[in-house]
Coordinates of all heavy atoms in Angstrom, one line a residue:
R34 N 11.6 -13.9 -19.3 CA 10.8 -14.2 -20.5 C 11.7 -15.0 -21.5 O 11.2 -16.0 -22.1 CB 10.2 -13.0 -21.2 CG 9.1 -12.3 -20.4 CD 8.5 -11.1 -21.1 NE 9.3 -10.0 -20.9 CZ 9.8 -9.2 -21.8 NH1 9.6 -9.5 -23.1 NH2 10.6 -8.2 -21.5
L35 N 12.9 -14.5 -21.7 CA 13.8 -15.2 -22.7 C 14.1 -16.7 -22.2 O 14.1 -17.6 -23.0 CB 15.1 -14.5 -22.8 CG 15.0 -13.2 -23.7 CD1 16.2 -12.3 -23.5 CD2 14.8 -13.5 -25.1
S36 N 14.2 -16.8 -20.9 CA 14.5 -18.1 -20.3 C 13.3 -19.1 -20.6 O 13.5 -20.2 -20.9 CB 14.7 -18.0 -18.8 OG 14.8 -19.2 -18.2
A37 N 12.1 -18.5 -20.4 CA 10.9 -19.4 -20.6 C 10.8 -19.8 -22.0 O 10.5 -20.9 -22.4 CB 9.7 -18.6 -20.2
V38 N 11.1 -18.9 -22.9 CA 11.0 -19.2 -24.4 C 12.1 -20.2 -24.8 O 11.8 -21.2 -25.4 CB 11.1 -17.9 -25.2 CG1 11.2 -18.2 -26.7 CG2 9.9 -17.0 -25.0
A39 N 13.4 -19.9 -24.4 CA 14.5 -20.8 -24.8 C 14.4 -22.2 -24.2 O 14.9 -23.1 -24.8 CB 15.8 -20.1 -24.3
S40 N 13.7 -22.3 -23.1 CA 13.6 -23.7 -22.5 C 12.3 -24.4 -22.8 O 12.0 -25.5 -22.4 CB 13.8 -23.6 -21.0 OG 12.7 -22.8 -20.4
S41 N 11.5 -23.7 -23.7 CA 10.2 -24.3 -24.1 C 10.4 -25.5 -25.0 O 11.4 -25.6 -25.7 CB 9.3 -23.3 -24.8 OG 9.8 -23.0 -26.0
D42 N 9.4 -26.4 -25.0 CA 9.5 -27.6 -25.9 C 9.6 -27.2 -27.4 O 10.1 -27.9 -28.2 CB 8.2 -28.4 -25.7 CG 8.3 -29.1 -24.3 OD1 9.4 -29.3 -23.8 OD2 7.2 -29.5 -23.9
A43 N 9.0 -26.0 -27.7 CA 9.0 -25.6 -29.1 C 10.3 -25.0 -29.5 O 10.8 -25.2 -30.7 CB 7.9 -24.5 -29.4
A44 N 11.1 -24.4 -28.6 CA 12.3 -23.7 -29.0 C 13.5 -24.7 -28.9 O 14.5 -24.5 -29.7 CB 12.6 -22.5 -28.1
R45 N 13.5 -25.7 -28.0 CA 14.7 -26.5 -27.8 C 15.2 -27.2 -29.1 O 16.4 -27.2 -29.3 CB 14.4 -27.6 -26.7 CG 14.8 -27.1 -25.4 CD 14.8 -28.2 -24.4 NE 13.4 -28.7 -24.3 CZ 12.6 -28.6 -23.2 NH1 13.0 -28.1 -22.2 NH2 11.4 -29.1 -23.2
P46 N 14.3 -27.7 -30.0 CA 14.8 -28.3 -31.2 C 15.4 -27.3 -32.2 O 16.2 -27.7 -33.0 CB 13.5 -29.0 -31.8 CG 12.5 -28.9 -30.8 CD 12.8 -27.9 -29.8
L47 N 15.0 -26.1 -32.0 CA 15.6 -25.0 -33.0 C 17.0 -24.6 -32.6 O 17.8 -24.3 -33.4 CB 14.6 -23.8 -33.0 CG 13.2 -24.1 -33.4 CD1 12.4 -22.8 -33.3 CD2 13.1 -24.6 -34.8
I48 N 17.2 -24.6 -31.2 CA 18.5 -24.1 -30.7 C 19.6 -25.1 -31.1 O 19.5 -26.3 -30.8 CB 18.5 -23.9 -29.2 CG1 17.5 -22.8 -28.9 CG2 19.8 -23.6 -28.7 CD1 17.2 -22.6 -27.4
G49 N 20.6 -24.7 -31.9 CA 21.7 -25.5 -32.3 C 21.4 -26.4 -33.5 O 22.2 -27.1 -34.0
N50 N 20.2 -26.2 -34.1 CA 19.8 -26.9 -35.3 C 20.6 -26.3 -36.5 O 20.6 -25.1 -36.8 CB 18.3 -26.7 -35.6 CG 17.8 -27.5 -36.8 OD1 18.5 -27.8 -37.7 ND2 16.5 -27.9 -36.7
P51 N 21.4 -27.2 -37.2 CA 22.3 -26.7 -38.3 C 21.5 -26.2 -39.5 O 22.0 -25.4 -40.3 CB 23.1 -27.9 -38.6 CG 22.4 -29.1 -38.1 CD 21.6 -28.6 -37.0
R52 N 20.2 -26.5 -39.6 CA 19.4 -26.1 -40.7 C 18.9 -24.6 -40.6 O 18.3 -24.0 -41.5 CB 18.2 -27.0 -40.9 CG 18.6 -28.4 -41.3 CD 17.4 -29.2 -41.5 NE 17.8 -30.6 -41.6 CZ 16.9 -31.6 -41.7 NH1 15.7 -31.4 -41.8 NH2 17.4 -32.8 -41.8
I53 N 19.0 -24.1 -39.3 CA 18.5 -22.8 -39.0 C 19.7 -21.9 -38.6 O 20.4 -22.3 -37.7 CB 17.4 -22.8 -37.9 CG1 16.3 -23.8 -38.3 CG2 16.9 -21.4 -37.7 CD1 15.3 -24.1 -37.2
S54 N 19.8 -20.7 -39.2 CA 20.9 -19.9 -38.8 C 20.8 -19.3 -37.4 O 19.7 -19.2 -36.9 CB 21.0 -18.7 -39.8 OG 20.0 -17.7 -39.6
D55 N 21.9 -19.0 -36.8 CA 21.9 -18.4 -35.5 C 21.0 -17.1 -35.5 O 20.3 -16.9 -34.5 CB 23.3 -18.0 -35.1 CG 24.2 -19.2 -34.9 OD1 23.6 -20.3 -34.7 OD2 25.4 -19.1 -34.9
A56 N 21.1 -16.3 -36.5 CA 20.4 -15.1 -36.6 C 18.9 -15.3 -36.6 O 18.1 -14.6 -36.0 CB 20.8 -14.3 -37.8
Q57 N 18.5 -16.4 -37.3 CA 17.0 -16.7 -37.4 C 16.5 -17.2 -36.0 O 15.5 -16.8 -35.6 CB 16.8 -17.8 -38.4 CG 16.9 -17.4 -39.9 CD 16.9 -18.5 -40.8 OE1 17.5 -19.5 -40.7 NE2 16.1 -18.3 -41.9
V58 N 17.3 -18.0 -35.3 CA 16.9 -18.5 -34.0 C 16.9 -17.4 -33.0 O 15.9 -17.3 -32.3 CB 17.9 -19.6 -33.5 CG1 17.6 -20.0 -32.1 CG2 17.9 -20.8 -34.4
A59 N 17.9 -16.5 -33.1 CA 17.9 -15.3 -32.2 C 16.7 -14.5 -32.4 O 16.0 -14.0 -31.4 CB 19.2 -14.5 -32.4
A60 N 16.4 -14.2 -33.7 CA 15.2 -13.3 -34.0 C 13.9 -14.0 -33.5 O 13.0 -13.3 -33.0 CB 15.2 -13.1 -35.5
L61 N 13.8 -15.3 -33.7 CA 12.6 -16.0 -33.3 C 12.4 -15.9 -31.8 O 11.3 -15.6 -31.3 CB 12.6 -17.4 -33.8 CG 11.4 -18.3 -33.5 CD1 10.2 -17.8 -34.2 CD2 11.7 -19.7 -33.8
I62 N 13.4 -16.3 -31.1 CA 13.3 -16.3 -29.6 C 13.1 -14.9 -29.1 O 12.2 -14.7 -28.2 CB 14.6 -16.9 -29.0 CG1 14.5 -18.4 -29.2 CG2 14.7 -16.6 -27.5 CD1 15.7 -19.2 -28.7
A63 N 13.7 -13.9 -29.7 CA 13.5 -12.5 -29.2 C 12.1 -12.0 -29.5 O 11.5 -11.4 -28.7 CB 14.5 -11.6 -29.9
D64 N 11.6 -12.4 -30.7 CA 10.2 -12.0 -31.1 C 9.2 -12.6 -30.2 O 8.2 -12.0 -29.7 CB 9.9 -12.4 -32.5 CG 10.7 -11.5 -33.5 OD1 11.2 -10.4 -33.1 OD2 10.8 -11.9 -34.7
V65 N 9.4 -13.9 -29.9 CA 8.4 -14.6 -29.0 C 8.5 -14.1 -27.6 O 7.4 -14.1 -26.9 CB 8.6 -16.2 -29.1 CG1 7.8 -16.9 -28.1 CG2 8.4 -16.7 -30.5
A66 N 9.6 -13.7 -27.1 CA 9.8 -13.2 -25.8 C 9.1 -11.9 -25.5 O 9.0 -11.5 -24.4 CB 11.3 -13.1 -25.4
G67 N 8.7 -11.2 -26.6 CA 8.0 -9.9 -26.4 C 9.0 -8.7 -26.5 O 10.0 -8.8 -27.1
S68 N 8.5 -7.6 -26.0 CA 9.2 -6.4 -26.1 C 10.6 -6.4 -25.5 O 10.8 -6.7 -24.3 CB 8.4 -5.3 -25.4 OG 9.1 -4.1 -25.5
L69 N 11.7 -6.2 -26.3 CA 13.0 -6.2 -25.8 C 13.7 -5.0 -26.3 O 13.5 -4.5 -27.4 CB 13.8 -7.4 -26.3 CG 13.4 -8.8 -25.9 CD1 14.2 -9.9 -26.6 CD2 13.5 -9.0 -24.4
S70 N 14.7 -4.5 -25.5 CA 15.4 -3.3 -25.9 C 16.5 -3.7 -27.0 O 16.7 -4.9 -27.2 CB 16.2 -2.7 -24.7 OG 17.2 -3.5 -24.3
A71 N 17.1 -2.8 -27.6 CA 18.1 -3.1 -28.6 C 19.3 -3.9 -28.0 O 19.8 -4.8 -28.6 CB 18.6 -1.8 -29.3
E72 N 19.6 -3.5 -26.8 CA 20.7 -4.2 -26.1 C 20.3 -5.6 -25.7 O 21.2 -6.5 -25.8 CB 21.1 -3.5 -24.8 CG 21.8 -2.1 -25.0 CD 20.7 -1.0 -25.2 OE1 19.5 -1.2 -25.0 OE2 21.2 0.1 -25.5
Q73 N 19.1 -5.8 -25.3 CA 18.6 -7.2 -25.0 C 18.6 -8.0 -26.3 O 18.9 -9.2 -26.2 CB 17.3 -7.1 -24.3 CG 17.4 -6.5 -22.9 CD 16.0 -6.0 -22.4 OE1 15.0 -5.9 -23.1 NE2 16.0 -5.6 -21.1
R74 N 18.1 -7.5 -27.4 CA 18.1 -8.2 -28.7 C 19.5 -8.6 -29.1 O 19.8 -9.7 -29.5 CB 17.4 -7.4 -29.8 CG 15.9 -7.4 -29.6 CD 15.3 -6.7 -30.9 NE 13.8 -7.0 -30.9 CZ 13.3 -8.1 -31.3 NH1 14.0 -9.0 -31.9 NH2 12.0 -8.3 -31.3
N75 N 20.5 -7.6 -28.9 CA 21.9 -7.9 -29.2 C 22.4 -9.0 -28.3 O 23.2 -9.9 -28.8 CB 22.7 -6.6 -29.1 CG 24.1 -6.8 -29.6 OD1 24.3 -7.3 -30.7 ND2 25.1 -6.4 -28.7
F76 N 22.0 -9.0 -27.1 CA 22.5 -10.0 -26.1 C 22.0 -11.4 -26.6 O 22.8 -12.4 -26.6 CB 21.9 -9.7 -24.7 CG 22.3 -10.7 -23.7 CD1 23.7 -10.6 -23.2 CD2 21.5 -11.6 -23.1 CE1 24.1 -11.5 -22.2 CE2 21.9 -12.4 -22.1 CZ 23.2 -12.4 -21.6
V77 N 20.8 -11.5 -27.1 CA 20.2 -12.8 -27.6 C 21.0 -13.2 -28.8 O 21.4 -14.4 -29.0 CB 18.7 -12.7 -27.9 CG1 18.2 -13.9 -28.6 CG2 17.9 -12.4 -26.7
S78 N 21.4 -12.2 -29.7 CA 22.2 -12.6 -30.9 C 23.6 -13.1 -30.5 O 24.1 -14.0 -31.1 CB 22.3 -11.3 -31.8 OG 21.1 -10.9 -32.3
V79 N 24.2 -12.5 -29.5 CA 25.5 -12.9 -29.1 C 25.4 -14.3 -28.5 O 26.2 -15.2 -28.8 CB 26.1 -12.0 -28.0 CG1 27.3 -12.6 -27.3 CG2 26.4 -10.6 -28.6
L80 N 24.4 -14.6 -27.7 CA 24.2 -15.9 -27.2 C 24.0 -17.0 -28.3 O 24.6 -18.0 -28.3 CB 23.0 -16.0 -26.2 CG 23.1 -15.2 -24.9 CD1 21.8 -15.3 -24.1 CD2 24.2 -15.8 -24.1
A81 N 23.2 -16.6 -29.3 CA 22.9 -17.5 -30.4 C 24.2 -17.8 -31.2 O 24.5 -18.9 -31.5 CB 21.8 -17.0 -31.3
G82 N 25.0 -16.7 -31.4 CA 26.2 -16.8 -32.2 C 27.3 -17.7 -31.5 O 28.1 -18.3 -32.1
N83 N 27.2 -17.7 -30.2 CA 28.1 -18.5 -29.4 C 27.6 -19.8 -28.9 O 28.1 -20.5 -28.1 CB 28.6 -17.7 -28.2 CG 29.5 -16.5 -28.6 OD1 30.3 -16.7 -29.5 ND2 29.3 -15.4 -27.9
D84 N 26.4 -20.2 -29.5 CA 25.7 -21.4 -29.1 C 25.5 -21.5 -27.6 O 25.7 -22.6 -27.0 CB 26.5 -22.6 -29.7 CG 25.7 -23.9 -29.7 OD1 24.4 -23.8 -29.8 OD2 26.3 -25.0 -29.6
R85 N 24.9 -20.5 -27.0 CA 24.7 -20.4 -25.6 C 23.2 -20.2 -25.2 O 22.9 -20.0 -24.1 CB 25.5 -19.3 -24.9 CG 27.0 -19.6 -25.1 CD 27.5 -20.8 -24.4 NE 28.9 -21.0 -24.3 CZ 29.6 -22.0 -24.8 NH1 28.9 -23.0 -25.4 NH2 30.9 -22.1 -24.6
L86 N 22.3 -20.2 -26.2 CA 20.9 -20.0 -25.9 C 20.4 -21.1 -24.9 O 19.5 -20.8 -24.1 CB 20.1 -19.9 -27.1 CG 20.2 -18.6 -27.9 CD1 19.4 -18.8 -29.3 CD2 19.6 -17.5 -27.1

Side-chain angles (χ1 to χ4, degrees):
R34 287 184 280 122
L35 287 165
S36 174
V38 172
S40 61
S41 71
D42 290 339
R45 269 191 299 249
L47 302 176
I48 296 171
N50 186 330
R52 296 182 192 176
I53 304 168
S54 74
D55 293 339
Q57 288 173 313
V58 173
L61 180 66
I62 287 179
D64 289 344
V65 173
S68 178
L69 298 175
S70 70
E72 292 84 9
Q73 292 162 349
R74 284 185 167 279
N75 186 50
F76 185 71
V77 174
S78 294
V79 169
L80 291 175
N83 291 319
D84 196 28
R85 298 296 189 237
L86 283 172

